[in-house]
């Protein structure tokens, strides 16, 4: 299967602060991939690089095989972009913005836009500048659905949304992606929303990718282990993630099963070892640490 | 594509365009009122003598700054919303050539200004031709041409400054722009600017490419 997004050896820094070094990943056609990372790990930076709004120090990203800084109009028509904060042209009203975008896209589905907006308490002549962030998010989503792109790139789609709008956004997006076999690449701070949506997770740490695996594999295989130990346990042990303690109560995270973890911890006098299943948010904390 | 861009720019700037039209109309009316007042106070012979022998200007001094003011106003109303929250990304993401998109934005503003200036110039020429001979009216139009070119130049240079992503560069461009615009306001006797007009026109056309430089820096993510 051809990758829709392909990033090869991306290195970028802001001044002396290195953001990534030789970052490589790809997104396959028809998959929903979430880019997770703590603040400052460069999630928005990668979205900017992907769309050609930032030139990295080195490396190249390709969308549908075209380099990011030379995307053809035909490829741009296949890419739906949601900017962080659901940024839109706020001087338009609901009807005007649809009329404007509709002239650019050959597959424009006007009805998809108005169907979604019918659920909102907005009039066709209401200006976008007078809308709440939640209402604006639905306008942005409606425009994306009407564009009917093959690839959706969503930068922090949950930013500023209350739980109701977040859920609405996720449900519509999930339905849209599954029904149309669309590729979606998204970032969000609210990881519990991602659990319902994404097939694959890319977890970023400062300067690198920590993990790129199917979400199901993480949810089924990654465990938190709690145990007690009389003395110190090394923070870094092969196969264990973010081992830490409060008093003599310890916790660690691992993809290994209980038997293997017990074997690794035995030299340190670990007792009362018990495994816990994790939500995606807990797994994210386990992978990236609390601090 | 062009129709959609024109639609967007009109929605965005229509209030500013009406304001600019009102300013131009107000200044035109003021020029006629002042001229009429001079005829009443000094008499036709004195005014004609001043215009023919002493090269006294027909238009009030404030008129020379108005086209530049209107150009800056239109440019700000067009490009500040594009740069707020970096919305220019939305425009550049549209499925069309980026240079063609940017050229359409700039062409919209330039055409609006040319229409406003042409209308103002025509009204002034027709109005003054009722009281002055064609040679004097012709000189008035020629002498005011650099001011109108300055308006278009100010529009393009303001777009260049607005689209620049780095503030310290904006300040530097602002200073450069002010110096460049000064060439359009050199004093001289009636008709003295005639030899400079082709060069000023050429320079104004050259300014059309300056905003592309800022847009290129915006695309590269300059900080």
């Amino acid at each position: 299967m051809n990758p829709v997004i392909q990033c090869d050896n991306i290195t970028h820094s802001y001044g002396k602060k290195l953001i990534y070094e030789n970052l490589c990943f790809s997104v396959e056609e028809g998959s929903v991939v979430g880019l997770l990372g703590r603040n400052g790990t460069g999630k928005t930076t990668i979205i900017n690089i992907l769309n050609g709004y930032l030139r990295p120090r080195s490396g190249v990203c390709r969308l549908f095989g075209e380099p990011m800084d030379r995307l053809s109009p035909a490829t741009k028509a296949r890419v739906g972009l949601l900017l962080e904060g659901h940024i839109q042209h706020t001087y338009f009203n609901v009807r005007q913005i649809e009329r404007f975008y509709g002239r650019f896209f050959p597959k424009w589905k006007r009805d998809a836009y108005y169907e979604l907006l019918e659920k909102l308490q907005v009039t066709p002549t209401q200006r976008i500048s007078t809308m709440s962030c939640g209402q604006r998010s639905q306008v942005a989503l409606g425009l994306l659905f009407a564009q009917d792109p093959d690839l959706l790139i969503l930068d922090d789609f949950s930013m500023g949304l209350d739980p109701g709008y977040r859920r609405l956004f996720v449900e519509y997006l999930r339905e849209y992606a599954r029904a149309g076999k669309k590729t979606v690449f998204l970032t969000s701070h609210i990881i519990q929303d991602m659990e319902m949506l994404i097939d694959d997770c890319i977890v970023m740490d400062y300067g690198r990718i920590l993990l790129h695996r199917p979400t199901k594999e993480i949810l089924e295989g990654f465990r938190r282990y709690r145990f007690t130990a009389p003395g110190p346990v090394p923070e870094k042990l092969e196969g264990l993630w973010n081992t830490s303690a409060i008093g003599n109560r310890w916790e660690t995270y691992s993809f290994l099963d209980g038997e293997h973890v017990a074997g690794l911890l035995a030299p340190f006098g670990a007792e009362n070892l018990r495994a816990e299943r994790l939500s995606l948010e807990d797994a994210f904390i386990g992978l990236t640490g609390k601090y | 594509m062009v129709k959609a861009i024109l639609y967007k720019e009109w929605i965005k700037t229509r209030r500013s365009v009406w304001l600019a039209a009102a300013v131009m109309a107000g200044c035109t009316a003021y020029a006629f009122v002042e001229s009429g007042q001079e005829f009443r106070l000094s008499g036709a012979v004195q005014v004609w003598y001043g215009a023919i022998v002493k090269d006294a200007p027909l238009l009030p001094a404030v008129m020379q700054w108005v086209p530049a003011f209107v150009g800056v106003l239109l440019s700000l109303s067009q490009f500040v919303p594009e740069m707020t929250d970096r919305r220019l990304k939305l425009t550049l993401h549209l499925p069309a050539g980026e240079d063609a998109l940017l050229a359409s934005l700039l062409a919209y503003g330039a055409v609006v200004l040319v229409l406003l200036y042409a209308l103002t110039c025509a009204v002034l020429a027709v109005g003054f031709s009722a009281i002055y001979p064609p040679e004097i009216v012709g000189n008035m139009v020629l002498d005011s041409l650099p001011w109108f070119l300055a308006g278009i130049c100010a529009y393009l240079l303001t777009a260049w400054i607005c689209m620049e992503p780095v503030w310290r560069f904006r300040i530097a461009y602002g200073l450069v722009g002010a110096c460049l615009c000064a060439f359009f306001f050199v004093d001289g006797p009636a008709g003295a600017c005639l030899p400079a007009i082709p060069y000023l026109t050429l320079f104004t056309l050259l300014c059309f490419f300056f905003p592309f430089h800022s847009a290129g820096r915006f695309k590269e993510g300059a900080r």
Side-chain angles (χ1 to χ4, degrees), chain A residues 3-22:
Chain A
V4 171
I5 298 174
Q6 173 85 49
C7 284
D8 294 322
N9 297 313
I10 296 291
T11 298
H12 191 64
S13 57
Y14 291 120
K16 285 181 182 166
K17 191 189 174 201
L18 182 73
I19 306 295
Y20 326 108
E21 194 161 21
N22 295 323

Side-chain angles (χ1 to χ4, degrees), chain A residues 177-248:
Chain A
R178 300 277 186 266
K181 292 183 181 158
K182 306 291 186 185
T183 310
V184 182
F185 183 71
L186 52 89
T187 71
S188 173
H189 275 93
I190 316 258
I191 293 164
Q192 68 205 54
D193 294 342
M194 304 280 245
E195 197 171 320
M196 301 167 62
L197 191 60
I198 57 178
D199 305 320
D200 283 338
C201 257
I202 301 176
V203 181
M204 303 278 299
D205 198 6
Y206 297 99
R208 68 197 174 108
I209 288 178
L210 268 182
L211 190 81
H212 184 175
R213 287 196 193 188
T215 312
K216 198 175 166 192
E217 204 177 298
I218 296 171
L219 291 173
E220 286 177 359
F222 197 55
R223 295 278 180 276
R224 175 167 50 216
Y225 292 93
R226 293 187 193 275
F227 60 96
T228 54
V233 178
E235 265 183 50
K236 291 189 193 305
L237 275 174
E238 184 70 33
L240 302 185
W241 300 68
N242 289 301
T243 306
S244 63
I246 298 174
N248 70 341

